[in-house]
Amino acid sequence: MVTAPPPAVAAGAPILSTRNLTIRYGGVPAVRGVDLEVPERRITAVIGPSGCGKSTLLRAFNRMNDFIEGVSMEGQVLYRGRDIHARGTDPVEVRLRIGMVFQKPNPFPKTIYQNVVWGPRINGYRGDLRALAEEALRRAALWDEVKDNLDRSGLALSGGQQQRLCIARALAMQPEVILLDEPCSALDPASTARIEDLLFELKERYTIVTVTHNMQQAARLSDFTAFLWQGELVEYGPTQEIFTRPREKRTEDYVTGKFG
């Protein structure tokens, strides 16, 4: 009897897993049969050419695909071993534990302070909102730049500051996992470096999964790398091995720039 291969596993306790995950748009598969385990408090990069399913896979981890019309899913997405699509699971609670930061900075048209505390406030946070805002802004490496102007519009910040504000907004929800979809693609090199430095610091407390087209960024930033091609998980493992000793020819061709 032929048995399915075991899921790709990284060292360390997995906090997110997929089991034979297939996601379709209007019947057309964007992600096909993906088995993956994401270790806790590490940075995992998802790489691959445009249209390979990276963002679709990322959104599956906190049910953001629920908002896209015509999407269907087979298989499982597990958070700490629990199926996030199981009957009775509250998707809002899933997104509280698994936050997301998008490709383009999207601050609310509100003050810096209101941007950070809006989510906790509407979700019934009963602690000190001022202290929570300061903590989140400090962790996002933005506090020293905005502490005297918290009533300033978040839209008045630079692009890099706006992205860190969005990270602070996610951190204020006190998640365990942060998903980032091309968080630096719209930023200048200096702002990109600030975000990368921040992510190195954040992985001491949070699990981070990031989608990137930037091979150099994936190589220097992540602990583990997953390579997708045409919706298939081709290879997954420690980043150094993926970039220096890949097992698959398609992986080698992609990370060396022969296609993509």
Side-chain angles (χ1 to χ4, degrees):
M1 183 175 69
V2 177
T3 59
V9 180
I15 187 170
L16 294 172
S17 308
T18 65
R19 295 288 182 267
N20 196 29
L21 179 65
T22 295
I23 303 173
R24 294 183 173 88
Y25 295 102
V28 179
V31 169
R32 299 181 296 156
V34 170
D35 290 320
L36 177 68
E37 292 192 347
V38 175
E40 189 170 9
R41 295 188 183 184
R42 297 291 188 272
I43 298 176
T44 298
V46 183
I47 64 172
S50 296
C52 71
K54 301 186 299 297
S55 294
T56 298
L57 176 62
L58 190 74
R59 290 192 300 265
F61 286 128
N62 72 344
R63 294 188 55 168
M64 290 297 290
N65 288 322
D66 291 6
F67 297 109
I68 301 175
E69 187 175 354
V71 170
S72 61
M73 190 198 88
E74 298 172 7
Q76 292 181 305
V77 180
L78 308 177
Y79 167 60
R80 294 201 175 280
R82 299 179 61 183
D83 186 349
I84 67 172
H85 290 88
R87 181 175 297 178
T89 300
D90 183 355
V92 174
E93 181 64 26
V94 170
R95 295 180 195 118
L96 289 176
R97 302 278 65 82
I98 307 171
M100 191 162 189
V101 176
F102 297 93
Q103 178 177 2
K104 183 178 179 181
N106 60 342
F108 302 141
K110 300 177 181 292
T111 68
I112 294 168
Y113 173 75
Q114 290 169 333
N115 263 273
V116 178
V117 303
W118 183 81
R121 176 179 283 153
I122 67 170
N123 282 281
Y125 183 77
R126 296 184 178 181
D128 185 335
L129 285 171
R130 284 276 172 183
L132 179 67
E134 179 177 345
E135 180 183 20
L137 289 165
R138 284 188 182 278
R139 287 184 181 168
L142 189 56
W143 174 253
D144 288 342
E145 297 169 43
V146 302
K147 62 183 178 182
D148 297 324
N149 296 285
L150 294 179
D151 292 331
R152 185 185 182 192
S153 171
L155 298 173
L157 299 175
S158 70
Q161 289 175 322
Q162 287 187 18
Q163 192 66 297
R164 280 182 283 145
L165 178 61
C166 292
I167 292 172
R169 190 172 66 192
L171 295 178
M173 299 303 295
Q174 301 177 324
E176 289 192 286
V177 181
I178 304 171
L179 311 175
L180 302 110
D181 193 355
E182 293 277 2
C184 300
S185 65
L187 304 181
D188 60 82
S191 296
T192 295
R194 293 291 300 275
I195 297 292
E196 290 184 6
D197 289 344
L198 170 60
L199 296 183
F200 274 122
E201 296 175 11
L202 290 177
K203 78 172 182 178
E204 297 299 318
R205 299 177 60 99
Y206 307 93
T207 300
I208 297 171
V209 184
T210 183
V211 163
T212 181
H213 278 97
N214 187 322
M215 293 301 95
Q216 291 79 18
Q217 182 178 74
R220 65 179 173 257
L221 181 65
S222 65
D223 301 290
F224 297 92
T225 296
F227 169 52
L228 267 66
W229 186 73
Q230 294 186 353
E232 173 191 352
L233 179 62
V234 175
E235 190 165 350
Y236 175 55
T239 294
Q240 185 175 7
E241 292 183 9
I242 293 293
F243 280 87
T244 62
R245 299 184 301 277
R247 298 186 303 273
E248 299 286 337
K249 182 67 163 56
R250 284 175 294 176
T251 308
E252 180 181 357
D253 288 347
Y254 183 72
V255 299
T256 57
K258 292 182 180 179
F259 76 93

